[in-house]
Amino acid sequence: MAESPPAHIEILPNAHHFQIAEQNNYIVKGNYISSNNQTTLIQLLQPILDASHTRDRETSPPNSACLPGTRIGVIHMIVAWAHSTLLWNTHVLWLHGFVGCGKSAIALEIALIFEERKRLLGSFFFFRNTGDRSRMARFATTLACQLAAAIPEAAPFIEKALNTKPGLLQSNLAAQLRHLVYEPFKAAAWSGPLRWRTLLKGPFLIVIDGLDECEDRKDVQAFIEDMLDFFKNNPLVPLRFLITSRVERHIQGCLARDQVRLENLVNHCSRDDMDTFMRACFEAEIKRNPVIKAYIRDHGDWPAKKDKDALVDHVGGSFIFASTLFKYIVDPTNDQSTPMDRLPHTLDMNPGLDTLYAKTLSRSKDIPHFSDVISTLALIFEPLPIIGIAELLGIESFEVVRVLVNLQAIIHIPGTDDLPVTMCHTSLRDFLTTESRSGCFFTPPSYHLYLTYRCSAVLPVGGRLSRTAAASYSTRCGLYKHIEQFTNLPATARQGPFPRFPQTLDAFYARILRKS
């Protein structure tokens, strides 16, 4: 039998954020619940604030969204599945596909649709090498906060779990999900007016994007196993999970079951969608590019239909390849050629991103500090701003900008020096760290040792606190994670010489121990 909220608590119904209410011991305001002792759910749960579909995608990738009028078929299919109340409907849909085929864009669109319908319970967008968003440590607590915001009736049950189970936040992932998400939702869903609203409007939805981007593989498997076990024991609970990812063995082995609906996004890719996408990109660029406008006045439409059709055929179903290829064509920093010159060359590039990555990186490879800047971006565990990269490497900010300014087709450079620099897609990191693909641009894993040295160099002396980006990164995770990565390498990969070090490795290790 479902629990009812304590009688002295009143929660005003609201779609996604709490209204202001007050009765006896509780105040609901803003987007959290606080009791008389000023303890709030946000303070207790410490959610990741930039993990949901509402994050600033410019600074917290992936930055992808469906163009209006595209992906209609697959979106309609997912909406119909999630909205269905049929008893034999699955609780979980796994949308899988290759790199860049639009999984994150579709996940965002679905989240927005269900948020508008007031049926979105929460969303989490994983992204590799972004600190907490690439780990499972705060996954459950983040979803719990979103649950409390979406369904205020669940908040008292979440707080009750925290109060009655003091060690819950230090428990394993399965226990946190059970007591902070699944059980509070079930208790709230079957109580009072919410039960009737659920019967009338359909189930709630949680969107999980990029599960393959999570570095905690065992926790990913534990999450899937526990989720499916919960639905097996609670077949009538009005909750659905949309999960998107690449096909990875540890995910496929858990999700390829009768309890899960499997959908390959490749089967839902349409040439018309890609044609619409490319046409919209070129039309927007023509409006703002005076060079292209002048060319069109003299020569007529650009690109010609046959060239655009050839480009659409060339990119296949990869939206990330299409987007990156388009950025390369219209790159405003390339003053050696025009978009009209570069378009024919793109048709000679091998389908996929490796050729494009190599061609783009070659534009900066002779600039001082190129290798250090690119290797740092490839191996750091959390994104750093330009000033943070410069401080970590012991160079000037303008030198980092000089390297990156030519690479804006593949690396997102924010408008200010204090916002994080991010890769447009994690496939660039895979490219840089795989020697057979990147060749002369390869970042060897032994570079972790140099980053360990640089982290030790920026650490404050004598235990003093430092608020600089590089020092904070080094203190928080950089120093111990880089040296851990280096020491875990096979002996052949750890061999020197390391000519850039001002001291022997023994002296270097002693220096780190002294500073730590």
Side-chain angles (χ1 to χ4, degrees):
M1 183 174 174
E3 269 188 286
S4 298
H8 62 275
I9 298 177
E10 175 190 359
I11 308 290
L12 295 183
N14 184 260
H16 198 65
H17 298 286
F18 295 152
Q19 299 289 321
I20 298 178
E22 182 174 1
Q23 185 173 5
N24 296 338
N25 292 339
Y26 288 82
I27 302 172
V28 181
K29 58 170 73 173
N31 59 357
Y32 62 86
I33 289 186
S34 63
S35 59
N36 281 342
N37 62 7
Q38 303 301 311
T39 302
T40 69
L41 282 182
I42 283 186
Q43 289 171 335
L44 287 170
L45 298 175
Q46 292 294 300
I48 305 171
L49 301 179
D50 65 343
S52 78
H53 67 289
T54 61
R55 71 195 184 283
D56 182 353
R57 301 197 311 273
E58 289 289 336
T59 57
S60 299
N63 184 13
S64 51
C66 291
L67 197 68
T70 63
R71 317 313 293 263
I72 293 174
V74 66
I75 290 170
H76 181 268
M77 177 271 294
I78 295 172
V79 169
W81 159 80
H83 189 67
S84 173
T85 56
L86 296 174
L87 293 178
W88 56 83
N89 193 24
T90 59
H91 287 87
V92 182
L93 188 151
W94 178 32
L95 184 68
H96 59 85
F98 57 81
V99 171
C101 62
K103 300 183 294 295
S104 295
I106 291 169
L108 172 64
E109 185 66 22
I110 295 297
L112 291 172
I113 289 172
F114 276 79
E115 180 182 42
E116 184 177 356
R117 295 184 178 188
K118 300 176 173 49
R119 312 311 291 164
L120 183 68
L121 196 149
S123 63
F124 197 104
F125 284 68
F126 287 98
F127 200 76
R128 222 179 319 165
N129 282 55
T130 52
D132 289 324
R133 283 183 59 216
S134 61
R135 309 301 299 268
M136 275 287 187
R138 295 163 67 190
F139 176 67
T141 57
T142 299
L143 288 182
C145 266
Q146 294 181 21
L147 165 62
I151 304 178
E153 293 91 335
F157 298 110
I158 297 172
E159 188 160 304
K160 180 179 178 181
L162 292 169
N163 290 333
T164 58
K165 297 175 175 59
L168 183 57
L169 295 180
Q170 286 72 47
S171 299
N172 60 55
L173 176 65
Q176 290 186 21
L177 285 168
R178 286 280 176 142
H179 295 298
L180 296 177
V181 181
Y182 301 150
E183 295 299 339
F185 170 76
K186 186 175 74 169
W190 294 128
S191 63
L194 188 62
R195 181 173 188 172
W196 296 107
R197 294 208 307 270
T198 301
L199 291 173
L200 289 172
K201 295 186 177 182
F204 286 85
L205 178 68
I206 294 177
V207 176
I208 308 297
D209 178 65
L211 191 57
D212 56 297
E213 300 278 319
C214 180
E215 299 167 9
D216 300 324
R217 294 193 167 204
K218 289 185 178 179
D219 279 341
V220 167
Q221 292 177 311
F223 154 62
I224 297 172
E225 296 284 355
D226 185 66
M227 172 187 63
L228 296 180
D229 186 58
F230 172 76
F231 286 130
K232 182 179 179 180
N233 295 327
N234 299 273
L236 300 181
V237 69
L239 178 61
R240 304 285 184 263
F241 269 84
L242 170 64
I243 298 174
T244 75
S245 77
R246 287 181 277 184
V247 178
E248 298 281 356
R249 185 180 301 175
H250 67 291
I251 297 175
Q252 185 180 25
C254 296
L255 284 175
R257 303 183 185 183
D258 293 339
Q259 283 178 271
V260 181
R261 177 169 175 171
L262 308 181
E263 290 290 344
N264 188 342
L265 187 51
V266 174
N267 298 331
H268 297 276
C269 288
S270 160
R271 188 187 186 284
D272 289 342
D273 285 344
M274 186 60 70
D275 185 74
T276 301
F277 174 76
M278 295 304 298
R279 184 173 65 251
C281 288
F282 279 113
E283 286 175 354
E285 184 63 23
I286 289 169
K287 290 178 181 178
R288 61 174 171 256
N289 192 316
V291 175
I292 298 177
K293 285 181 181 178
Y295 179 89
I296 291 175
R297 283 197 299 269
D298 294 340
H299 300 277
D301 287 346
W302 181 86
K305 186 178 184 306
K306 64 179 182 62
D307 292 333
K308 183 172 68 65
D309 289 346
L311 189 61
V312 170
D313 292 334
H314 186 60
V315 300
S318 175
F319 281 86
I320 184 63
F321 182 42
S323 176
T324 309
L325 209 60
F326 176 76
K327 289 178 183 177
Y328 170 78
I329 292 170
V330 301
D331 185 0
T333 65
N334 189 346
D335 54 7
Q336 302 301 311
S337 59
T338 68
M340 286 65 71
D341 298 324
R342 292 190 288 273
L343 174 57
H345 297 157
T346 60
L347 299 176
D348 297 328
M349 294 182 179
N350 293 328
L353 293 168
D354 287 7
T355 304
L356 188 56
Y357 284 154
K359 195 170 184 66
T360 304
L361 289 166
S362 65
R363 296 185 58 202
S364 288
K365 68 177 182 178
D366 295 325
I367 295 175
H369 309 295
F370 167 79
S371 179
D372 282 332
V373 172
I374 295 302
S375 296
T376 299
L377 286 174
L379 295 185
I380 54 176
F381 298 98
E382 296 177 5
L384 285 172
I386 287 173
I387 54 176
I389 296 171
E391 181 192 3
L392 184 61
L393 293 175
I395 60 179
E396 297 285 344
S397 293
F398 78 87
E399 294 176 299
V400 177
V401 173
R402 189 181 174 200
V403 170
L404 297 179
V405 73
N406 292 326
L407 310 179
Q408 295 185 68
I410 59 176
I411 294 174
H412 176 68
I413 306 171
T416 62
D417 288 354
D418 56 352
L419 290 175
V421 176
T422 55
M423 296 180 177
C424 293
H425 200 272
T426 52
S427 58
L428 175 57
R429 182 173 288 107
D430 297 335
F431 171 80
L432 291 169
T433 54
T434 307
E435 188 171 12
S436 61
R437 295 172 58 188
S438 52
C440 64
F441 301 113
F442 173 59
T443 297
S446 58
Y447 194 80
H448 278 293
L449 182 62
Y450 184 67
L451 288 176
T452 303
Y453 169 71
R454 290 305 314 165
C455 284
S456 73
V458 300
L459 279 178
V461 180
R464 293 196 303 270
L465 294 177
S466 174
R467 296 183 181 274
T468 66
S472 297
Y473 169 77
S474 301
T475 304
R476 187 168 57 253
C477 66
L479 180 61
Y480 78 86
K481 281 193 174 184
H482 287 300
I483 198 166
E484 180 183 49
Q485 289 291 317
F486 178 76
T487 54
N488 287 337
L489 292 174
T492 52
R494 284 189 276 114
Q495 291 175 355
F498 301 99
R500 299 170 63 188
F501 278 72
Q503 53 201 170
T504 66
L505 286 182
D506 284 351
F508 170 54
Y509 291 143
R511 169 196 171 119
I512 291 178
L513 290 172
R514 283 197 306 271
K515 280 213 167 190
S516 300

